[in-house]
Amino acid sequence: MATDMESQLQTLAESAQKAIATADSLQKLEELRVSYLGKKGELSLILKEMGKLSAEDRPRIGAVANEIKNEIQINLVDRQNKLQQAEINQKILAETLDVTMPGVSYSLGKSHPLQSTIDRVIDIFVGLGYTIAEGPQIEGDYYNFTALNTPEDHPARDMQDTFYFEDGNLLRTHTSSVQIRYMEKNEPPLRIIAPGRVYRRDTVDATHSAVFHQIEILAIDKGLTFTDLKGTIKEFLRQMFGDDLPTLFRGSYFPFTEPSAEVDVQWQGKWLEVLGCGMVDPNVLKAVGYDPEVYSGFAAGLGVERFAMILHKIDDIRRLYNSDLRFLQQF
Ligand code: DAH
């Protein structure tokens, strides 16, 4: 009986040692503690039989049982320490910042070259005291033509092939319509810049698009002259091209200005036509109820695509519209 129990205890000690040594989590370790040393654990089960032992065997077997209990307890604590240390090491490793790892890079959105061109022009004119104005893209014939001194039978209407709606409205062919809209609602003096989208029945090619962008400039005050127009345009071009380049004011014709001019700028050895301008025609002032005997002013209109293409050496206007990232990422 006594040797039986002794060998049971030895077997228990061996299996406990093995199980504890290979326990791979604190939770498993706790389960082992309960199954070996718990109230209903294996050791207790064996010790229940102690009563059946003879009086001389009892203390000896009891001593062996105690030793095994201590051993198991020591093994448990030992293994617990090891597992806790391993957990800490794991945590330290996981939280270490490897500064040699390549970083995660996020690509930033950027302004489209058309928008950044518009923004540059706006910045320059805002610096000269101008405020931004806007008008609708679907316009009445009156705002796009008639009030701009271009009555129905006027040959200048052929200069701008127009998209018409069935109700007689149209897609504005230029931002000059904003001049009328703004002057109708405001009294002089005024200085405005009006950027926006315009439409013409043009066949699309490397330099033409049916939809494009213009920026309109308008200044009305007492005593404004062609000198003010020239000074303003020259200052604008100086800031736009970052240099005091030679400019040429060529006499031209627009129905809504008199006199009218087209402006060329000499850039990188070539004369480039960059905008149209002129003194606001008295008929335009009359159309909005301003007295042309008291007020005068100047206006100018420029094509955004043209400026963007000149400044960035873009060879085809269509590149500005087809959203090719290989192109857009260059700006
Ligand atoms: N509206 C003209 C066009 O689209 C451009 C223009 C010329 C605007 C002269 C003006 C101006 O304000 O004075 O061709």
Side-chain angles (χ1 to χ4, degrees):
M1 179 73 202
T3 43
D4 221 28
M5 249 179 105
E6 219 177 328
S7 78
Q8 268 183 33
L9 284 168
Q10 285 311 332
T11 314
L12 175 69
E14 275 163 34
S15 90
Q17 199 183 9
K18 252 190 220 156
I20 290 168
T22 54
D24 58 2
S25 73
L26 291 169
Q27 195 196 334
K28 223 181 220 151
L29 208 58
E30 174 62 9
E31 283 166 17
L32 289 176
R33 191 190 63 76
V34 172
S35 84
Y36 289 118
L37 307 181
K39 263 192 195 156
K40 293 173 186 165
E42 289 184 44
L43 190 63
S44 306
L45 281 177
I46 298 172
L47 294 180
K48 261 191 192 153
E49 309 291 309
M50 286 274 275
K52 296 176 185 163
L53 292 175
S54 65
E56 59 193 68
D57 279 340
R58 213 174 290 156
R60 192 172 52 79
I61 297 296
V64 173
N66 254 337
E67 212 174 284
I68 285 172
K69 188 178 172 185
N70 281 340
E71 209 176 284
I72 293 176
Q73 251 160 357
I74 288 168
N75 283 343
L76 281 169
V77 171
D78 210 42
R79 185 71 190 153
Q80 185 182 359
N81 286 340
K82 279 204 181 107
L83 287 174
Q84 275 170 345
Q85 192 56 50
E87 205 170 77
I88 289 169
N89 290 344
Q90 191 63 40
K91 238 187 176 167
I92 290 172
L93 256 178
E95 286 171 9
T96 306
L97 184 68
D98 182 354
V99 292
T100 65
M101 291 270 284
V104 183
S105 67
Y106 299 94
S107 47
L108 286 178
K110 288 185 241 171
S111 220
H112 189 278
L114 284 178
Q115 188 60 51
S116 60
T117 304
I118 291 171
D119 290 344
R120 266 180 77 177
V121 177
I122 287 176
D123 275 356
I124 294 168
F125 277 97
V126 165
L128 296 173
Y130 286 66
T131 53
I132 298 167
E134 275 183 322
Q137 295 179 33
I138 296 175
E139 262 300 7
D141 187 279
Y142 176 79
Y143 291 99
N144 197 80
F145 291 123
T146 312
L148 286 162
N149 198 33
T150 319
E152 205 148 316
D153 53 359
H154 198 288
R157 287 202 178 203
D158 299 339
M159 286 162 61
Q160 304 181 354
D161 235 340
T162 313
F163 287 112
Y164 284 97
F165 292 97
E166 273 170 11
D167 63 5
N169 282 328
L170 50 85
L171 288 171
R172 69 177 178 197
T173 58
H174 51 187
T175 45
S176 301
S177 52
V178 184
Q179 292 188 23
I180 306 301
R181 295 240 169 223
Y182 191 86
M183 287 192 286
E184 273 186 349
K185 291 213 171 71
N186 295 274
E187 288 301 314
L190 59 89
R191 281 172 174 70
I192 55 159
I193 171 166
R197 196 165 283 183
V198 300
Y199 304 82
R200 289 188 200 175
R201 293 170 73 117
D202 265 332
T203 310
V204 179
D205 63 24
T207 53
H208 292 85
S209 166
V211 184
F212 56 105
H213 300 78
Q214 286 190 333
I215 298 177
E216 194 78 13
I217 307 297
L218 175 69
I220 307 285
D221 207 339
K222 286 179 183 159
L224 285 182
T225 66
F226 202 87
T227 309
D228 299 300
L229 167 61
K230 266 187 107 167
T232 303
I233 296 300
K234 287 191 83 153
E235 176 57 17
F236 159 64
L237 292 174
R238 190 186 66 76
Q239 289 194 40
M240 199 66 189
F241 288 94
D243 201 356
D244 210 350
L245 299 169
T247 47
L248 182 66
F249 283 70
R250 274 184 295 110
S252 184
Y253 172 79
F254 300 103
F256 30 90
T257 45
E258 181 58 37
S260 304
E262 278 171 301
V263 181
D264 298 349
V265 58
Q266 197 176 44
W267 198 61
Q268 300 186 332
K270 273 190 252 165
W271 284 102
L272 300 165
E273 183 193 317
V274 288
L275 56 84
C277 61
M279 299 307 291
V280 177
D281 193 290
N283 285 338
V284 175
L285 297 177
K286 276 187 220 153
V288 296
Y290 291 2
D291 184 351
E293 298 297 322
V294 180
Y295 291 103
S296 61
F298 59 81
L302 61 93
V304 178
E305 279 77 356
R306 187 158 172 74
F307 265 90
M309 288 171 78
I310 292 172
L311 289 170
H312 301 294
K313 300 197 181 88
I314 297 166
D315 57 350
D316 192 320
I317 197 171
R318 288 165 290 198
R319 291 192 197 282
L320 291 166
Y321 306 117
N322 55 18
S323 299
D324 185 338
L325 281 181
R326 291 169 303 178
F327 170 75
L328 292 173
Q329 274 166 346
Q330 299 176 46
F331 296 92

